């Protein structure tokens, strides 16, 4: 059964609302996640990076930090994931495209973006994933579901435009998204 997803504008509004007052508290932030990825635990550099983390308002985090700390999404704990997810979802929806375009104008800028969709669809049954998403409330989970439905609708439209047949790679990606949506819906 095909359901209609929210429009991009509606989804953006829901994301801002659902993640509005989330704090990082003592969770792992982007810079601390980068330090963990670089195996800097228990060093001055680790503490210096951790001190750079925004802890009160995820909307103050510059988009460039998502590029500079693109691997951090793999190191965030439950509080860190809840705090940053609104920003990640907006990033994946290309809300910050003008800022990203400015970054890419710099020929020295060769960092890669965070894989938000992968994080929300891969290995969801694992304890690792269940723990990282354990603090999401129902409104936040609904944002994830709506985001994945929006992405699935975009993929379907692309597939229809280019005649994608069952069994082809894009069709398999449809299935992955459908499975992830079903998983997230069970958890609302």
């Amino acid at each position: 059964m095909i359901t209609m997803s929210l429009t991009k504008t509606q989804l953006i509004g829901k994301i801002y609302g659902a993640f509005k007052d989330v704090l990082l508290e003592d969770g792992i932030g982007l810079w601390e996640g980068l330090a963990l990825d670089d195996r800097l635990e228990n060093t001055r550099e680790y503490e210096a990076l951790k001190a750079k983390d925004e802890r009160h308002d995820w909307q103050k985090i510059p988009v460039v930090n998502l590029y500079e700390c693109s691997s951090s999404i793999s190191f965030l704990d439950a509080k860190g994931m809840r705090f940053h997810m609104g920003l990640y979802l907006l990033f994946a929806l290309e809300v910050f495209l003008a800022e990203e375009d400015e970054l890419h104008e710099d020929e020295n800028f060769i960092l890669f973006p965070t894989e938000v969709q992968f994080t929300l669809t891969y290995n969801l049954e694992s304890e690792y994933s269940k723990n990282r998403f354990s603090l999401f409330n129902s409104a936040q989970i609904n944002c994830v579901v709506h985001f994945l439905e929006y992405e699935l609708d975009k993929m379907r439209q692309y597939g229809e435009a280019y005649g994608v047949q069952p069994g082809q790679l894009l069709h398999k990606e449809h299935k992955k998204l459908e499975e992830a949506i079903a998983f997230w819906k069970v958890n609302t």
Side-chain angles (χ1 to χ4, degrees):
M1 180 176 128
I2 297 176
T3 60
M4 290 301 297
S5 66
L6 298 175
T7 66
K8 183 176 179 178
T9 302
Q10 291 169 325
L11 180 53
I12 291 166
K14 284 200 176 285
I15 292 166
Y16 277 115
F19 292 92
K20 183 176 124 185
D21 295 321
V22 176
L23 301 173
L24 181 56
E25 299 169 2
D26 62 345
I28 297 173
L30 293 178
W31 291 102
E32 184 177 4
L34 182 66
L36 290 169
D37 186 29
D38 289 343
R39 302 171 198 257
L40 299 173
E41 297 98 333
N42 303 317
T43 66
R44 283 188 185 152
E45 190 174 358
Y46 175 88
E47 293 302 323
L49 287 170
K50 182 178 176 179
K52 291 175 64 172
D53 279 321
E54 171 62 44
R55 304 196 92 66
H56 303 286
D57 185 354
W58 58 266
Q59 294 181 52
K60 290 182 179 178
I61 299 172
V63 171
V64 68
N65 289 167
L66 294 180
Y67 281 92
E68 293 168 327
C69 304
S70 63
S71 65
S72 294
I73 198 166
S74 298
F75 295 89
L76 299 179
D77 60 359
K79 289 179 180 179
M81 190 59 74
R82 181 184 59 190
F83 180 73
H84 295 92
M85 187 51 64
L87 182 63
Y88 281 132
L89 292 172
L90 295 171
F91 174 77
L93 289 168
E94 299 180 332
V95 169
F96 310 112
L97 210 48
E99 292 170 65
E100 290 180 74
D101 287 346
E102 283 182 33
L103 293 173
H104 294 295
E105 286 177 12
D106 180 354
E107 60 192 44
N108 296 318
F109 187 81
I110 54 170
L111 302 171
F112 298 99
T114 300
E115 290 291 330
V116 179
Q117 186 174 313
F118 177 80
T119 300
L120 297 173
T121 60
Y122 179 73
N123 204 17
L124 295 173
E125 294 288 343
S126 71
E127 284 305 310
Y128 169 71
S129 289
K130 287 179 183 178
N131 288 336
R132 288 174 4 117
F133 300 119
S134 64
L135 297 179
F136 283 30
N137 64 34
S138 61
Q140 294 161 349
I141 292 171
N142 281 328
C143 285
V144 171
V145 169
H146 290 309
F147 167 76
L148 294 173
E149 288 173 341
Y150 178 83
E151 292 298 308
L152 181 61
D153 282 351
K154 278 186 4 187
M155 192 179 291
R156 282 187 179 129
Q157 291 169 9
Y158 178 85
E160 289 171 7
Y162 290 95
V164 173
Q165 300 298 313
Q168 291 180 309
L169 180 61
L170 191 57
H171 181 75
K172 292 177 183 176
E173 292 301 314
H174 287 183
K175 291 292 181 198
K176 284 182 188 175
L177 274 172
E178 288 169 347
E179 290 168 4
I181 291 167
F183 172 87
W184 282 96
K185 281 184 175 181
V186 168
N187 292 297
T188 55

